[in-house]
Amino acid sequence: MAGRLLALSARSIKARPVPLGAAGAHSNPALDATRAMIGNREIVGYGMNGQPHYYDRSDIPLPAIRWKEATADIKCLREKEKGDWRQLSMEEKKALYRASFKLTYSEFKAPTGEWKQIVGASLMLVSVALWFYMAVRVVTRVPLPDSFSEEKQQAQLRRILDLHVNPITGLSSQWDYEKDDWKK
Amino acid sequence: MMTWKTLMSPDSASPLMEQLTFLHDHALMILLMITVLVGYLMASLFFNKFNYRYLLEGQTIEMIWTILPAVILIFIALPSLRLLYLLDEVNNPLVTVKTIGHQWYWSYEYTDFANIEFDSYMIPSNEMEDYHFRLLDVDNRIAVPYNSQIRMIVTAADVLHSWTIPTLGVKIDATPGRLNQISFLLNRTGIFFGQCSEICGANHSFMPIVMESISPECFISWIYNMSEI
């Protein structure tokens, strides 16, 4: 990208100096380059950075050039546009808009649904990672100690409750000591 | 001790630990509020359609979001400092227990009344009964009377160890050649567990601490029995 900017600036530098007098009968080479890029489209303002490019953006609304080259119809409408706008029909207003702009605000601000592709691809990659994780866990599995057996866990739980471990907000607070069962 | 369904700290058995739990809950509440606020701000920034290229500053809101964190920090700092000084309060303990950390067991001495000394080894997994807690139960527990101030003097015989019981909010390093003192009070009966908290070699994970909190009468009879051994 930097290379392209360099080439562009080199081209504009190479285009100067502008010949004067009779030798200036030949048109400006810089203008030639611009016209080669944008065709016959009218330059109407500064745009984003002074360059004659077209874009649709909501934060820098008016591009530097019109979207379409001016035809005879459009030139006619432009003359009519200089008068009272209430004389313009809806079709004429739309034609004028589309001559200057490619998309309407609602068209270029419309959701693209691109987020679904991105979220979908990310979730697929996450699931691949999870499969790898599960594979490692399965391959490296070690048998649990004896104290994890069901009877031993029951015995330990009985002892925990008899000792009133965590009686305030923890496990023993959920046990009903009168009924010898969990609180309902 | 930690059981199933214990997400944060276990229930306290000492008034200082209660205060620590309250401070933790208070600070966590503030943190959660800040997190929700920031999460909401980020989400709304993500999904809004606002669009303004020339935004440079907003003096009022900048003042607010500079002063507000300072105010929030004061709300956290004041209870924290209060508790910090509370933990260092001077009191008059009833019983003194001395503990010495060895590789890899604790030994305890009660020298107030009679010359009682004993070692406390972890019960190995192959000698466990069904109801024993793996890596937590020991052969000889320390007994202390509840609702009485206990003084604990901790040292080590060889390398660094650390004596701790989380439900009491107590953790003190056992340093060889140094006596560290801590004082606590238990306000309920029961058995409380802890594990050595300073790396001390191969069996660092296998030298637990078990304290049994009993009534003063039971404690006196326990002392009597131990002194005859």
Side-chain angles (χ1 to χ4, degrees), chain A residues 33-69:
Chain A
T34 308
R35 282 292 151 210
M37 183 167 62
I38 66 175
N40 216 9
R41 298 186 276 177
E42 192 185 343
I43 295 178
V44 287
Y46 186 78
M48 199 152 47
N49 51 8
Q51 298 297 313
H53 299 298
Y54 182 81
Y55 56 84
D56 286 307
R57 279 182 72 139
S58 60
D59 54 346
I60 310 174
L62 304 172
I65 58 176
R66 300 212 189 260
W67 174 236
K68 290 187 185 154
E69 295 183 354

Side-chain angles (χ1 to χ4, degrees), chain A residues 20-148:
Chain A
L20 301 166
H26 198 289
S27 57
N28 185 354
L31 195 53
D32 280 344
T34 308
R35 282 292 151 210
M37 183 167 62
I38 66 175
N40 216 9
R41 298 186 276 177
E42 192 185 343
I43 295 178
V44 287
Y46 186 78
M48 199 152 47
N49 51 8
Q51 298 297 313
H53 299 298
Y54 182 81
Y55 56 84
D56 286 307
R57 279 182 72 139
S58 60
D59 54 346
I60 310 174
L62 304 172
I65 58 176
R66 300 212 189 260
W67 174 236
K68 290 187 185 154
E69 295 183 354
T71 62
D73 296 335
I74 297 296
K75 283 187 185 143
C76 212
L77 282 175
R78 293 257 160 81
E79 287 305 314
K80 197 174 173 192
E81 200 185 10
K82 289 178 186 169
D84 187 2
W85 286 348
R86 279 170 285 192
Q87 306 302 319
L88 292 166
S89 72
M90 187 50 76
E91 298 307 318
E92 288 170 338
K93 287 179 197 167
K94 283 186 187 174
L96 279 165
Y97 183 89
R98 290 290 173 181
S100 299
F101 302 102
K102 179 187 176 196
L103 296 174
T104 64
Y105 264 66
S106 46
E107 282 168 10
F108 68 71
K109 287 170 91 161
T112 59
E114 189 189 1
W115 71 271
K116 295 175 202 171
Q117 302 169 19
I118 296 170
V119 168
S122 312
L123 286 174
M124 284 200 272
L125 289 171
V126 165
S127 63
V128 168
L130 282 173
W131 278 113
F132 273 111
Y133 170 75
M134 277 173 62
V136 169
R137 286 288 293 240
V138 163
V139 166
T140 61
R141 203 160 28 198
V142 167
L144 287 171
D146 283 339
S147 59
F148 279 73

Side-chain angles (χ1 to χ4, degrees), chain B residues 14 26 43 46-47 50 60 73 78 86 96 103 109 112 121 139 150 169-170 173 175 196 199 205 214:
Chain B
S14 130
H26 170 77
F46 206 75
F47 291 110
F50 298 137
T60 320
L73 285 174
L78 289 177
L86 201 62
T96 301
Q103 277 176 316
E109 293 174 14
D112 284 333
Y121 279 85
D139 50 6
I150 314 288
V170 162
D173 279 359
T175 310
C196 177
I199 186 82
S205 317
I214 52 183

